[in-house]
Amino acid sequence: MFVKERLHPSHWLIGFLFSALIFSSCEKLKLKEDEKEDPWANMYFPSSPLSQWETIIHTELQWKNNDVQSLMQFLEEKNTRAFIVLKNGRIALETYFGDTHVQTPLPWFSAGKTITAFLVGLAQEQGFINIEESTSKYLGNGWTSMTAIQEMAITVRDQLSMTTGLDYQVDDLFCTDRECLHYAYPAGTEWYYHNAPYTLLTQVIDQSVPGGFDRFFNLRLKDKIGMQGFWVQLGYNEVYMSNARSMARFGLLMLNNGIWADQPVMNDEKYFKDMIRPSQTLNKSYGYLWWLNGLESIIYPGSTQVLNTPLIPSAPDDLFAGLGLNDQKLYVVPSHGLVIVRLGGASGNSLLGPSSFDEQLWQRLQWMLK
């Protein structure tokens, strides 16, 4: 007759510890294998603006020379002047065309709206601004030609999300004079890419923070991440000018959730997340001055028509972007650790933000996503 052996409790303990040791060894082996597969997984941050920037040879990312060469030809044909790709902070591709070089300042145009959105968040974090409050609190009464009640209904959030309700059928959408700012819709009920309310956010910050807009920008953002550049007044607009690497630095900050290396630049996690998710239900592909991919519909600048398409069908769903006149592009793709910068002349149109170039480019970048 078979008699089942009864194990002493110490035998169970030895067996458990042996199993745990085997499991731990397997996990460590798996980690080492993962690190071997992706040695560039940890995030890298360049130090001072003039320091060397760590690079990756694109073939180490399994990017083929033929694909890269084809991309460069396309970019040159499309009037590009500067192009950078960061992979987890390291420069994987960096090319300049014509007489442009690494230090050439180029305009961001409306891609610079993203800087303003970030600064509003910093100002709110320090208690200088509350985006839920009326813009009139910061600009004073009478900044528009509306009635007092209509004007008081517009909040800083409305400025950030392009839902002020200001009349967009005016002669100059860039004009910030009160005579150009008329009532059309109740605040929050209509989306339109109206530049004037955005431009006035600079004044909101300037009137709210000690030392004004420029000092706040330099101390709280530019100097902290080593950006170079300057603001230029073009008509009613403040346009940021910088080299392509400075735009890449800002994109890297966004890729790392507002943290530079181990130092938080923005501590308000909620505001940061709100910047890059739908800010209203009218144009789901628009956050706080950031364009968002992967949503089911979009309204383009200059239109009120809702189209059932994402921002860039060929790009990853989690992409968010700063997009400016003449195809200035700052793409951030968290799922792939990518920051992509394109600066230059118009690729073939002069739209203010999204254009056909976005889709054309991302159709040619599919090999980066494999």
Side-chain angles (χ1 to χ4, degrees):
M1 183 176 71
F2 175 76
V3 178
K4 184 177 180 181
E5 182 180 2
R6 179 171 297 177
L7 292 177
H8 189 276
S10 62
H11 296 165
W12 285 105
L13 179 59
I14 292 170
F16 172 79
L17 292 175
F18 180 75
S19 299
L21 179 62
I22 294 295
F23 178 78
S24 176
S25 299
C26 290
E27 284 297 299
K28 288 180 180 179
L29 180 60
K30 184 177 183 300
L31 285 173
K32 287 182 179 180
E33 288 175 349
D34 290 344
E35 289 171 2
K36 186 176 181 181
E37 290 175 3
D38 188 3
W40 313 110
N42 60 309
M43 200 72 72
Y44 164 81
F45 296 86
S47 52
S48 69
L50 300 178
S51 65
Q52 292 294 318
W53 197 316
E54 191 171 308
T55 62
I56 312 173
I57 300 174
H58 64 267
T59 53
E60 295 186 52
L61 298 170
Q62 310 305 314
W63 297 352
K64 297 179 181 178
N65 287 326
N66 288 342
D67 291 330
V68 173
Q69 290 169 4
S70 177
L71 172 63
M72 294 304 134
Q73 182 179 348
F74 168 76
L75 291 170
E76 188 169 20
E77 290 171 354
K78 293 298 183 178
N79 209 16
T80 302
R81 296 185 63 188
F83 186 77
I84 295 177
V85 178
L86 303 184
K87 176 67 172 180
N88 291 331
R90 298 166 185 82
I91 294 176
L93 294 175
E94 182 176 33
T95 307
Y96 300 92
F97 300 90
D99 60 355
T100 306
H101 53 80
V102 68
Q103 289 297 343
T104 301
L106 297 168
W108 293 31
F109 292 125
S110 283
K113 285 180 167 68
T114 58
I115 295 177
T116 302
F118 198 92
L119 292 176
V120 169
L122 294 179
Q124 177 170 264
E125 182 181 295
Q126 294 197 341
F128 300 124
I129 290 174
N130 182 343
I131 66 170
E132 307 298 343
E133 291 182 325
S134 172
T135 299
S136 296
K137 175 178 178 179
Y138 309 102
L139 298 184
N141 297 327
W143 62 276
T144 71
S145 61
M146 302 178 183
T147 67
I149 294 176
Q150 292 168 346
E151 185 179 277
M152 284 292 294
I154 297 175
T155 65
V156 176
R157 180 194 288 274
D158 292 321
Q159 292 176 271
L160 289 166
S161 57
M162 296 288 183
T163 57
T164 60
L166 286 164
D167 188 2
Y168 47 80
Q169 296 184 9
V170 292
D171 293 335
D172 187 352
L173 282 170
F174 297 93
C175 176
T176 57
D177 299 335
R178 66 180 307 277
E179 294 79 12
C180 300
L181 306 177
H182 309 290
Y183 176 85
Y185 304 96
T189 64
E190 185 81 0
W191 190 94
Y192 194 85
Y193 195 78
H194 194 167
N195 212 70
Y198 147 72
T199 303
L200 287 168
L201 282 170
T202 299
Q203 292 186 29
V204 169
I205 297 171
D206 197 58
Q207 296 296 318
S208 305
V209 302
F213 179 91
D214 289 338
R215 182 176 182 275
F216 189 71
F217 165 61
N218 291 337
L219 292 178
R220 295 285 291 142
L221 177 57
K222 180 183 175 183
D223 295 345
K224 286 198 171 187
I225 67 173
M227 290 176 68
Q228 296 175 302
F230 48 90
W231 295 92
V232 175
Q233 188 76 37
L234 295 179
Y236 288 98
N237 292 322
E238 290 271 356
V239 173
Y240 195 63
M241 302 276 297
S242 82
N243 57 42
R245 285 190 173 192
S246 288
M247 181 182 268
R249 282 175 180 265
F250 183 57
L252 179 56
L253 175 69
M254 293 297 298
L255 179 66
N256 204 46
N257 299 311
I259 300 170
W260 189 259
D262 58 351
Q263 297 298 315
V265 178
M266 178 179 287
N267 291 286
D268 188 340
E269 294 182 10
K270 181 181 183 304
Y271 182 90
F272 185 91
K273 291 177 180 177
D274 286 346
M275 269 197 303
I276 52 176
R277 59 189 172 197
S279 57
Q280 26 63 50
T281 59
L282 303 165
N283 186 358
K284 294 181 180 179
S285 296
Y286 204 72
Y288 291 162
L289 306 176
W290 284 90
W291 291 93
L292 317 175
N293 199 36
L295 284 304
E296 64 268 27
S297 62
I298 189 172
I299 303 174
Y300 289 109
S303 174
T304 59
Q305 182 181 3
V306 178
L307 300 177
N308 295 320
T309 180
L311 173 67
I312 311 172
S314 294
D317 285 349
D318 65 333
L319 173 147
F320 55 95
L323 305 176
L325 177 71
N326 294 340
D327 292 314
Q328 317 313 316
K329 311 293 184 184
L330 172 59
Y331 303 118
V332 182
V333 189
S335 60
H336 292 272
L338 292 173
V339 172
I340 301 177
V341 169
R342 186 272 182 190
L343 294 170
S347 67
N349 57 58
S350 58
L351 295 179
L352 294 173
S355 72
S356 60
F357 177 82
D358 293 288
E359 177 64 13
Q360 292 169 15
L361 177 58
W362 276 97
Q363 286 178 359
R364 288 165 172 81
L365 296 180
Q366 294 303 300
W367 43 270
M368 287 188 184
L369 309 178
K370 296 177 181 178

